[in-house]
C-alpha cells in the first residue's frame, strides 16, 4: 500500500512539474518570438508526455529498462483505447483537418517500425531489444515530424481545423508572473526529477511486493498515472467540441512517446523487450490501425458506441495481459 501511494505521489509531482515546465517553456519561447501556434503544436503537446520521459530516463539510469518499456507502450495503449474512448464517449470525435489525418498514418508507421525493431531478434534467435542504433533512427524520425509541424505553422493560413483550434486556445497568458518564466522552468525540472525518482523507486518496490514484473507495473499503474495530462486535455477539448484538438493531443503524445521517450531510454542503454512485450506492441499497432478506416472512410467520426468499444478493448487487454502473468 505504501509503495502504491508512493507511485501516486510521484505521478502527482511529475504532473505538477510538467505543467510548470510547459508554462515556463511556453513563455520563454514566446520571448524568443516563436509562434503561439508552433508552441501549441510542440511544447504544449509534448509537455503532456514529460512525465513519461522523466520516468524512463530515471528508470534507465537505475537499470529498470522493463519499467521504461512498459511505461511507454502502456501509455500509448491507454491513450488510444482508454483516453480516446472516454473522450469519444463524452462527445463524438470527428476530424476535419489535414494535419490529424496525416499524423494518424504517421503514428501507424512509427508503431510498425518499433514493432519490427523489437521483433528482429526473433529471426536471429536472439532476445528482442530496442538498441542504440534503433534509438538513433527513431530520433531522426522525430526530426522529420518536427519539420512537418513547422511547415504546418508556416502554412497556417490554409484554414486547417487543428491549427484553428490551437490558435483559438492560446497557451500563453498575460499575467505578471510570466516575467518569472525561468523560475517555472527550474521548478518544473525539479518537480519532474523528484517525481521520477519517487515513481521509479515505488514502482520497483510495488512489483517486488506483488510478485509481478516491473513491466506490468509500468503498463497499468505508471502508464495510466502519467497519462492523466492527456486525459484532462482531451476531455476538455471534447467538451468544447474541438475534435481535432482532442485527437491531435493523443496522436502527438504517442508520437512523442515513440520518437523521444523510448529512444531516450534506448540511447542510455539498450532496452530488452520483456516477456509479453511483443504482444503489447502488436496491440498498440492494431489500435492505431483500427482508427485509420474509422477516420478515413465515410463520416470520419468516432461516436459514443465506438468509444465504449475502445474502452472495452482496453479492459479485455488488461485481463489477458494480467491473466497471462499467472
Amino acid at each position: 500500500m505504501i509503495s502504491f501511494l508512493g507511485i501516486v505521489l510521484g505521478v502527482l509531482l511529475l504532473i505538477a512539474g510538467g505543467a510548470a515546465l510547459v508554462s515556463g517553456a511556453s513563455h520563454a519561447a514566446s520571448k524568443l518570438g516563436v509562434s503561439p501556434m508552433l508552441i501549441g503544436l510542440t511544447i504544449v503537446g509534448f509537455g503532456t508526455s514529460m512525465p513519461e520521459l522523466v520516468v524512463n530516463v530515471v528508470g534507465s539510469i537505475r537499470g529498470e529498462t522493463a519499467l521504461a518499456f512498459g511505461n511507454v507502450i502502456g501509455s500509448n495503449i491507454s491513450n488510444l483505447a482508454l483516453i480516446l474512448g472516454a473522450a469519444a464517449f463524452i462527445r463524438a470525435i470527428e476530424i476535419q483537418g489535414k494535419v490529424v489525418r496525416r499524423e494518424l498514418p504517421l503514428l501507424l508507421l512509427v508503431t510498425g517500425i518499433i514493432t519490427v525493431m523489437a521483433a528482429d531478434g526473433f529471426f536471429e534467435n536472439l532476445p528482442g531489444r530496442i538498441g542504440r542504433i534503433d534509438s538513433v533512427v527513431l530520433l531522426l524520425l522525430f526530426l522529420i515530424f518536427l519539420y512537418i509541424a513547422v511547415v504546418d505553422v508556416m502554412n497556417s493560413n490554409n484554414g486547417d481545423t487543428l491549427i484553428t483550434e490551437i490558435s483559438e486556445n492560446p497557451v500563453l497568458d498575460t499575467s505578471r508572473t510570466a516575467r518569472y518564466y525561468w523560475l517555472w522552468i527550474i521548478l518544473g525540472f525539479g518537480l519532474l526529477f523528484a517525481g521520477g525518482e519517487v515513481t521509479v523507486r515505488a514502482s520497483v518496490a510495488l512489483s517486488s511486493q506483488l510478485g509481478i514484473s516491473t513491466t506490468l507495473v509500468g503498463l497499468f499503474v505508471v502508464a495510466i498515472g502519467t497519462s492523466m495530462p492527456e486525459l484532462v486535455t482531451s476531455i476538455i477539448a471534447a467538451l468544447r467540441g474541438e475534435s481535432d484538438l482532442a485527437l491531435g493531443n493523443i496522436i502527438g503524445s504517442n508520437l512523442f512517446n515513440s520518437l523521444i521517450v523510448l529512444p531516450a531510454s534506448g540511447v542510455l542503454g539498450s532496452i530488452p523487450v520483456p516477456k509479453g512485450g511483443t504482444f503489447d506492441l502488436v496491440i498498440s499497432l492494431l489500435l492505431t490501425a483500427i482508427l485509420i478506416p474509422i477516420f478515413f472512410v465515410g463520416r470520419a467520426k468516432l461516436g459514443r458506441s465506438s468509444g465504449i468499444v475502445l474502452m472495452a478493448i482496453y479492459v479485455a487487454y488488461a485481463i489477458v495481459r494480467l491473466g497471462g502473468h499467472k
Side-chain angles (χ1 to χ4, degrees), residues 130-165:
I130 305 295
R132 285 190 170 89
I133 298 300
D134 295 330
S135 300
V136 170
V137 171
L138 293 175
L139 290 172
L140 291 175
L141 288 174
F142 171 75
L143 293 179
I144 297 175
F145 172 72
L146 188 60
Y147 168 78
I148 292 173
V150 173
V151 171
D152 285 335
V153 173
M154 294 177 65
N155 297 328
S156 59
N157 58 349
N158 62 6
D160 185 88
T161 307
L162 178 62
I163 301 295
T164 302
E165 290 176 356

Side-chain angles (χ1 to χ4, degrees), residues 30-44:
S30 178
K31 291 284 186 181
L32 295 174
V34 178
S35 164
M37 283 184 288
L38 183 58
I39 293 173
L41 280 170
T42 56
I43 294 177
V44 174

Side-chain angles (χ1 to χ4, degrees), residues 7 57 72 78 88 91 110 119 130 136 146 154 161 166 191 202 219 293:
I7 295 177
V57 169
V72 169
S78 64
R91 189 162 185 170
V110 169
I130 305 295
V136 170
L146 188 60
M154 294 177 65
T161 307
I166 290 177
L191 291 174
L219 281 169

Side-chain angles (χ1 to χ4, degrees), residues 114 116-121 126-132 134 269-273:
I114 294 175
V116 172
M117 287 177 173
D120 61 358
L126 295 173
R129 65 178 54 245
I130 305 295
R132 285 190 170 89
D134 295 330
S270 296
I271 304 176
V273 178

